[in-house]
Amino acid sequence: MKERLPLMLLAATALLPVRAQQVLVCDGATRFPLRDVQTFIDNRLIGKTTYQGLIAIPDSFSTATFQRKGFLSEKLTREEVLRDTVFLYPAEHYLDEVIVYGRHIINGKKTLEKMPKRDILEEQPPHSMGEFDLGILLDKRFRRDKEHVEKLREIFRKMDGDDDDPIMKAYRESQKDTINTRKKPVETQ
C-alpha cells in the first residue's frame, strides 16, 4: 500500500488539467477565424489552430509566434497575447517601403498669404448685377455656423471684459505685476 501511494499521486497529477488559455486567431482584413495557423511558444511549435481558429497556449511563456502561408507572421509578447484575439494580416496587402518624391516645392507661407482671408460673419462677397447665389440662401449649415460663431464671440467678449469677478481681477493684477517686474531693469550696486 505504501508503494502504491506515490504512484497514485503521480497518476493524479498527470490527469490534472494544465492551465492553458484559449486564443482566437483571425484574419485581420476579414475578421474570420483562421485554421492551421502554426503557433510557436518561445520558438517551440505547440500546434496548429482548429477550424474555429482556436488554440490552447500555456499560461507561462515570454513570446508567441503565429505563422500561416499567405499571411505575415506575428511575434507577440505574453501581455499582447492575453487579449484573447490575434489578427494576422494578408501578405498581399503589405508594403515593405513607400518612397514619395516631390516634383514641386511649394512655400506654404506664401500660399497662405495669397489666400483670401474671409470671416464667416462677413457679408457675402459682392456680386455683379444680376447674380444670385441660391446656395448660400439654402445652406442651413452656413447659417448654423454663423449663429454659433456669433454666440462664441459674445461669450469671449464677456470673458475678456471687466466684470466684478474677484478671481479675474486678482488674475489680471498678478499678470500686470509679472509683466511690470520683467520690464524693470535690475539695479546693481
Side-chain angles (χ1 to χ4, degrees), residues 27-77:
D27 185 347
T30 62
R31 306 284 195 235
F32 285 117
L34 290 174
R35 71 184 306 172
D36 296 330
V37 176
Q38 292 181 338
T39 305
F40 296 88
I41 298 294
D42 295 328
N43 297 326
R44 192 176 50 114
L45 179 66
I46 62 162
K48 294 183 177 183
T49 58
T50 64
Y51 72 96
Q52 296 173 332
L54 296 171
I55 187 159
I57 59 172
D59 196 31
S60 61
F61 62 93
S62 60
T63 61
T65 306
F66 301 91
Q67 295 177 346
R68 183 175 174 198
K69 185 178 179 185
F71 289 86
L72 297 172
S73 64
E74 266 311 313
K75 187 171 187 175
L76 304 172
T77 62

Side-chain angles (χ1 to χ4, degrees), residues 14-147:
L15 294 176
L16 287 175
V18 176
R19 287 192 66 200
Q21 175 184 355
Q22 287 244 330
V23 175
L24 176 65
V25 182
C26 293
D27 185 347
T30 62
R31 306 284 195 235
F32 285 117
L34 290 174
R35 71 184 306 172
D36 296 330
V37 176
Q38 292 181 338
T39 305
F40 296 88
I41 298 294
D42 295 328
N43 297 326
R44 192 176 50 114
L45 179 66
I46 62 162
K48 294 183 177 183
T49 58
T50 64
Y51 72 96
Q52 296 173 332
L54 296 171
I55 187 159
I57 59 172
D59 196 31
S60 61
F61 62 93
S62 60
T63 61
T65 306
F66 301 91
Q67 295 177 346
R68 183 175 174 198
K69 185 178 179 185
F71 289 86
L72 297 172
S73 64
E74 266 311 313
K75 187 171 187 175
L76 304 172
T77 62
R78 183 178 182 277
E79 292 79 26
E80 293 171 327
V81 174
L82 292 179
R83 295 184 192 144
D84 294 335
T85 304
V86 174
F87 293 102
L88 296 182
Y89 293 94
E92 63 191 34
H93 299 297
Y94 179 73
L95 295 174
D96 288 333
E97 182 178 341
V98 176
I99 299 174
V100 178
Y101 293 103
R103 292 186 182 186
H104 304 288
I105 298 174
I106 298 173
N107 188 345
K109 289 182 181 178
K110 288 183 181 178
T111 306
L112 187 61
E113 289 171 2
K114 291 178 186 177
M115 291 177 65
K117 292 175 179 61
R118 183 167 176 245
D119 191 4
I120 196 167
L121 294 179
E122 287 179 5
E123 291 298 319
Q124 301 171 15
H127 297 291
S128 63
M129 191 67 178
E131 270 189 57
F132 181 71
D133 193 357
L134 183 64
I136 290 181
L137 288 175
L138 299 177
D139 191 4
K140 291 180 184 178
R141 183 179 291 171
F142 178 75
R143 287 193 305 264
R144 183 198 65 206
D145 290 346
K146 193 173 178 179
E147 291 172 6

Side-chain angles (χ1 to χ4, degrees), residues 162-166 169:
D162 284 339
D163 36 317
D164 296 329
D165 187 14
K169 284 183 180 179

Side-chain angles (χ1 to χ4, degrees), residues 154-182:
E154 182 62 31
I155 291 170
F156 283 124
R157 266 188 237 112
K158 286 180 182 176
M159 288 174 65
D160 290 340
D162 284 339
D163 36 317
D164 296 329
D165 187 14
I167 296 172
M168 290 303 292
K169 284 183 180 179
Y171 173 73
R172 286 191 192 100
E173 288 174 10
S174 67
Q175 289 297 320
K176 288 177 187 175
D177 292 343
T178 57
I179 291 171
N180 291 337
T181 57
R182 288 182 195 161

